[in-house]
Amino acid sequence: MKITIVDHPLVQHKLTLMRRRETPTSAFRQLVNEIAMLLGYEVTRDLELKPKQIETPLEVMEAPVLAGKKLCFVSILRAGNGLLDGMLSLMPSARVGHVGLYRDPKTLVAIEYYYKVPHDIGDRLAIVVDPMLATANSAIAAVERLKQGGAKRMKFVCLLAAPEGVEAFSKAHPDVELFAAALDRELNDHGYILPGLGDAGDRIYGTR
Ligand code: PRP
Ligand code: URA
């Protein structure tokens, strides 16, 4: 299993608040936004830099700036959009792609209903975001679709991962690095993560 758990105290504290049953939609949404910035900071840690000549008020200097094409965040709809907003406040000029998928509640198979990413996705680092990696059917399908669309370099960021999902994902896409705020215990019979935080989409958008 190849996974980085972001164990920063702020991430862990915010995650605990999100897990609590009594946390209301408004607070949950705010917390997703904040935790996304912290995860975004970690997942972009190894971005390449290049020197650029600039002028400070006092002299000319060679200063580091990000090298290469702007990266692309890819949100797995709909819960991925919660993470996307926070990541975009960190990197406002990043490109954005969307993959629309929902889990069939009976079979847990991921069904695609939307796909739109930048035409030059193959030249960019794609950071795929979705709060939950449960069976990993959605993540595996999204990354598969992105590879078909030309994506070559990808990372996957979630809040919670289940061991079953990490194993399946690593088997299907060993080239894609995983980042999570926590690795939880297991899946229940309905494919929900335990102890988890419930249905991420419902908690972000208040649909249940
Ligand atoms: C949730 C979640 C993931 C998926 C994870 O989405 O946001 O996309 O389930 O489960 P998996 O790893 O077993 O595929 P859901 O299908 O509930 O759709 P939504 O985001 O539209 O609510
Ligand atoms: N999707 C969710 O939103 N939550 C889970 O626990 C599993 C899949």
Side-chain angles (χ1 to χ4, degrees), residues 46-54 61-70:
D46 62 355
L47 289 185
E48 219 178 298
L49 294 169
K50 65 173 184 196
K52 183 180 163 121
Q53 196 175 76
I54 60 159
M61 74 173 286
E62 294 270 310
V65 291
L66 291 172
K69 270 185 178 290
K70 294 184 175 65

Side-chain angles (χ1 to χ4, degrees), residues 1-3 133 135-137 139-141 143-144 147 162-178:
M1 293 206 301
K2 198 171 93 194
I3 180 164
L133 187 79
T135 62
N137 288 345
I140 291 170
V143 169
E144 194 65 57
K147 283 183 176 173
E164 297 90 327
V166 175
E167 197 181 330
F169 186 86
S170 313
K171 212 174 268 174
H173 298 296
D175 53 316
V176 179
E177 211 180 325
L178 281 175

Side-chain angles (χ1 to χ4, degrees), residues 73-130:
F73 293 117
V74 179
S75 166
I76 303 184
L77 301 175
R78 84 193 140 137
N81 274 9
L83 286 179
L84 176 66
D85 293 343
M87 300 234 176
L88 280 177
S89 21
L90 202 64
M91 299 194 61
S93 54
R95 302 304 187 241
V96 177
H98 295 90
V99 182
L101 292 171
Y102 70 90
R103 285 204 311 181
D104 180 290
K106 284 214 175 72
T107 62
L108 302 183
V109 168
I111 297 165
E112 184 181 312
Y113 59 87
Y114 188 75
Y115 179 81
K116 184 86 180 172
V117 302
H119 67 92
D120 54 359
I121 187 79
D123 301 332
R124 301 175 186 275
L125 168 67
I127 298 183
V128 186
V129 299
D130 187 334

Side-chain angles (χ1 to χ4, degrees), residues 103 132 134 191-193 198-201:
R103 285 204 311 181
M132 309 303 269
Y192 277 84
I193 298 176
D199 186 298

